[in-house]
Amino acid sequence: MKTFGLLGFPLAHSFSKSFFESKFKILGLKDCEFLLFEYSDIKDFINVIPQIKYLKGFSVTSPHKENIIPFLDDIDVDANDIDAVNCVKVIEENGQRKMIGYNTDHYGFHQSLKPFLEPKHSRALILGTGGAAKAVAFSLKKLGLEYWFVTRVKNKNVHAGNLFEYSELSPLIIDSFKLIVNTTPSEMLYGPQAFPKIPYEYISTDHLCYDLIYQPEETRFLINCKSRGAVVMNGLDMLYAQAEKAWSIWTK
Ligand code: NAP
C-alpha cells in the first residue's frame, strides 16, 4: 500500500484528491490511496503522522506552506530559498521516517508562463506578498525578469525596496510593467467584487496578465485585463504542472 495526501485547512474544494485518484486509475495503481489531512493546527497533523501507515508523500496548501518547515528533516535548496514548501516526500531510512520538503509551485508557474513570454515582458508586478508570491518571484528571478511586489499596506518589513502599494500604481508604472501576476486569493475567497484594485484603464494589448486562481476559471481581474486587449491566463496549467512535479518527486 502507498499513501499520499494533501495537508491544509480548509480543504473543501480539493483539486488534488480527484487529480491523483484519476491518475491512480489511469496507471492501474490499485495499491495507492490519496487522503485529505484537514488540520488547522499543524501540530495536530505532526502528532498523527506516525499513525499514517505507508505514507510516501503529501502536498501542502494554505495555511501550512511555511509552518511545515520546522518539522522537516531536510529541505530542497529551491524550497529553502523560497521559504515555502508545498510538497513533502516521506522516506524510510534505517527504520526511521524522514520528511523532505520541496516547492513545486515555482516549477508549475515557470512551465505555464514560459510559452507566453516575450521580450516586452521583462518587468513584472506581483500582486500579493504571500507564499505563492514568493514562488512566483523565485521563478521570475530565474528567468532573469525584474519584479516588484504590490501590497495593501507597506507595514511589513518584507520585500523592502521592491514594493508598491496599490494606491501608488500610476499610469507610468502600469505601462512599464508589462507582466502582471495576481497571487492574491481574494476573488476566490470573497467573489468577483474583491478583484485587485489596479488601474485597469492603463492595461494595453502589450500586457500579459496571469491569475494564479483557477476557480473561478475567469476572475474579474482577468476579465478586466482582457477587455483592454491583454493576453490573459489563469492558474490551471500551473496547477497541473506542480501536481505532476510532486508525483515525480514522490515516485522517483
Ligand atoms: P495567501 O498567503 O493567503 O495570500 C497571498 C497574499 O495576498 C497575501 O500575502 C496578501 O498580500 C494578499 N491578500 C490576502 N488577502 C487579500 C485580500 N482580501 N485582498 C487583497 N489582497 C489580499 O495565499 P497564497 O498561499 O500565497 O496563495 C495565493 C493564491 O494563489 C491562492 O488563491 C491560491 O489558490 C493560488 N495558488 C495557485 C496555485 C496554482 O497552482 N494555480 C499554486 C499556489 C497558489 P498583502 O498583505 O501584501 O496585500
Side-chain angles (χ1 to χ4, degrees), residues 65 105 129-132 151-152 156 183-186 212 235 238-239:
K65 288 185 183 181
D105 280 339
T129 59
T151 187
R152 288 167 295 178
K156 293 172 285 181
T183 75
T184 71
S186 38
L212 260 58
M238 173 178 173
L239 187 69

Side-chain angles (χ1 to χ4, degrees), residues 8 19 35 37 41 44 49 51-52 66 75 82 84 95 104 138-139 145 151 154 160 175 179 203-205 212 226:
F19 174 84
L35 306 177
F37 307 125
D41 186 337
D44 292 339
I49 289 180
Q51 293 152 41
I52 308 169
E66 286 151 343
I75 185 165
I82 296 165
T104 66
F138 178 87
S139 173
L145 306 192
T151 187
K154 277 191 204 170
D175 187 53
L179 172 61
I203 301 275
S204 70
T205 51
L212 260 58
K226 197 162 82 175

Side-chain angles (χ1 to χ4, degrees), residues 196-216:
K197 303 299 183 286
I198 64 168
Y200 291 94
E201 60 272 34
Y202 307 117
I203 301 275
S204 70
T205 51
D206 284 337
H207 278 86
L208 171 56
C209 300
Y210 190 132
D211 200 330
L212 260 58
I213 292 175
Y214 47 88
Q215 189 72 265

